[in-house]
Amino acid sequence: MPTVPSLQSDTPGRVQTPAFSGQQNIQTNVDMFGGGAAKLTGMTTKLMDAAAKVGENAFLRGQKEDDDTALLEFEMGYDAWRHDQLNNPTTGLYAKKGKLTQNETATRQAAVEAYFTKAMKAHENNPRIKNRLQNYAQAQGRSLTGEVSTYERTQMGEYRKGLFEAKVERSRENAISKITNGYAALDADETSPAGAYMNRARIEREATASMREGVRTIRENGKRQGMSKDQIDRDIENYNDTVVDGVVNNMLANGDDRHAQAFYDKHKDMVTDSKVRNKLEKSLEGGSSRGEAQRQTGAIYKDY
C-alpha cells in the first residue's frame, strides 16, 4: 500500500507540511527551462546568421548574374564587330588580296584597341566587371591580331611569289628573244671572217649574260622567300632547260636550223631534263633535214 505522509510535528500545535518528492522535480524542470532558454538563444543566433548568409549568397549570386549578363552583351557586341572586320564584302580583311593586305595587321590592331577602349567606358566605374572585360579584351585582341597577321603574311607571300615568277618569266623571254635575234643577225653582219668571229663572240657573251640574269633573279629571290638550296637549284635547272628549249624552237621555226644546232651544241650541257633533251634533239634532227632540203632546192633553182 502507498505510504501516507505523517502530519505530526515536532512542534506542538503545528502541522508539518508533507515533503513531496515532486518539489525536486519542479526545481529540476526550472533548471532545465533556464538552460533551454540559453540554448534557444544560441539557436536563434545561428538561424539569423544562416539567414544573413543566405541573403549574402543571394546578393552575390545576383551580382554575378548581372556581371555575366554584361559580359555576354559585351562579347556579342564584339563578335558582331569582329565579323564585320573580317567578312565585310567591301572593307573586310578577307575581301582584300595580295598587296592590298599590306599593313593590315597594324591597321586592324589599332581598330580593335579603339573598339575595346570605347566599349569599356560604360563599365569604368565598376572595377569588378571592368577587370573581367579587360581580360576578355586582351585575349580577343591577341586572337584577332594573330589571325590578321597570318592572313597578311600568306597574301603578301603569294604576292611576292607572283612578282618573282613574273620577273623570272620576263628574264626568260628576254633571254630567248635576245639570243634568237642575235643569232639571226649573224648572217647579215658577217662581211668578213674577222667580223664573223667578233660578232659570234659578242652574241655568245650576250646569250650567256641573258641567261645568267635569270639565274641571278632566281637565286636572289629564292633566298628572300626562304627557299631551300635544293629548290633554288631545281628552279635554275628548269629555267636553263626552258631557255635553251625556247631558243632552239624559235630558231627552227624561223628556218635557222644551223644556228639552232650551233647554239644547242654549245649549251646542251645546261639541259638537265632528259625528256627536254630528247625532244630537242629530235626537233633539231627534223629541222636539219628540212633545212638541208630547202638549201639544196634553192641551190638547184639558183643553177637554173
Side-chain angles (χ1 to χ4, degrees):
M1 294 179 63
T3 302
V4 178
S6 175
L7 299 178
Q8 296 181 353
S9 172
D10 293 338
T11 304
R14 177 176 295 181
V15 178
Q16 184 175 356
T17 303
F20 288 100
S21 59
Q23 290 177 349
Q24 296 176 351
N25 293 336
I26 292 171
Q27 183 63 45
T28 299
N29 289 337
V30 170
D31 292 341
M32 289 178 65
F33 179 79
K39 290 181 180 179
L40 181 59
T41 301
M43 291 175 62
T44 301
T45 301
K46 290 181 179 179
L47 288 172
M48 292 176 65
D49 290 344
K53 188 67 175 177
V54 170
E56 180 182 0
N57 289 341
F59 172 77
L60 293 175
R61 185 167 56 253
Q63 192 178 65
K64 183 177 183 303
E65 289 173 353
D66 290 343
D67 292 350
D68 290 343
T69 300
L71 181 60
L72 182 59
E73 292 172 345
F74 192 85
E75 291 175 355
M76 291 180 66
Y78 171 71
D79 286 345
W81 179 86
R82 181 181 184 277
H83 180 81
D84 185 70
Q85 284 286 309
L86 297 178
N87 300 297
N88 186 292
T90 303
T91 62
L93 175 70
Y94 295 125
K96 300 184 178 183
K97 307 294 180 183
K99 185 175 173 59
L100 293 178
T101 63
Q102 191 171 22
N103 298 323
E104 276 295 305
T105 301
T107 300
R108 304 287 174 171
Q109 184 176 7
V112 73
E113 289 175 355
Y115 173 84
F116 280 127
T117 298
K118 181 179 179 181
M120 290 179 66
K121 283 186 177 181
H123 308 281
E124 59 186 358
N125 295 324
N126 186 343
R128 184 187 61 257
I129 189 67
K130 185 178 180 180
N131 290 337
R132 292 181 67 183
L133 295 180
Q134 283 178 336
N135 293 334
Y136 174 82
Q138 290 173 357
Q140 292 301 317
R142 288 192 297 268
S143 174
L144 179 64
T145 301
E147 183 172 349
V148 175
S149 176
T150 298
Y151 183 75
E152 178 184 344
R153 189 166 55 250
T154 300
Q155 286 296 313
M156 289 302 297
E158 289 297 319
Y159 174 69
R160 285 189 291 271
K161 181 181 178 182
L163 288 178
F164 162 67
E165 292 176 349
K167 187 174 182 180
V168 171
E169 182 59 29
R170 185 171 61 186
S171 296
R172 185 189 344 264
E173 291 174 354
N174 287 343
I176 292 172
S177 176
K178 186 178 292 186
I179 295 169
T180 302
N181 294 333
Y183 272 91
L186 278 177
D187 292 334
D189 291 340
E190 290 178 354
T191 57
S192 66
Y197 175 80
M198 292 177 65
N199 286 334
R200 185 172 295 278
R202 175 178 58 79
I203 293 301
E204 289 294 343
R205 286 195 304 271
E206 291 180 354
T208 301
S210 297
M211 297 180 73
R212 284 178 178 173
E213 180 182 352
V215 170
R216 183 174 60 254
T217 297
I218 294 172
R219 199 177 299 281
E220 291 176 354
N221 285 276
K223 289 180 179 179
R224 290 196 196 104
Q225 295 189 64
M227 295 168 59
S228 67
K229 182 179 181 303
D230 289 343
Q231 180 61 56
I232 292 174
D233 290 342
R234 285 195 295 270
D235 285 354
I236 290 174
E237 290 174 355
N238 179 68
Y239 173 82
N240 289 334
D241 288 352
T242 54
V243 169
V244 174
D245 180 75
V247 169
V248 170
N249 281 292
N250 276 6
M251 289 180 175
L252 291 176
N254 294 336
D256 197 2
D257 62 288
R258 289 180 174 178
H259 285 153
Q261 186 66 57
F263 175 81
Y264 178 75
D265 289 342
K266 187 169 185 63
H267 299 284
K268 63 182 178 182
D269 290 341
M270 299 177 69
V271 180
T272 57
D273 190 328
S274 59
K275 292 182 179 179
V276 173
R277 179 176 292 189
N278 291 337
K279 180 182 175 182
L280 283 174
E281 290 178 354
K282 289 181 179 179
S283 296
L284 285 166
E285 183 178 354
S288 178
S289 298
R290 288 191 298 274
E292 188 61 32
Q294 290 175 356
R295 283 187 289 275
Q296 289 179 359
T297 300
I300 292 173
Y301 279 109
K302 184 178 181 180
D303 291 340
Y304 287 96

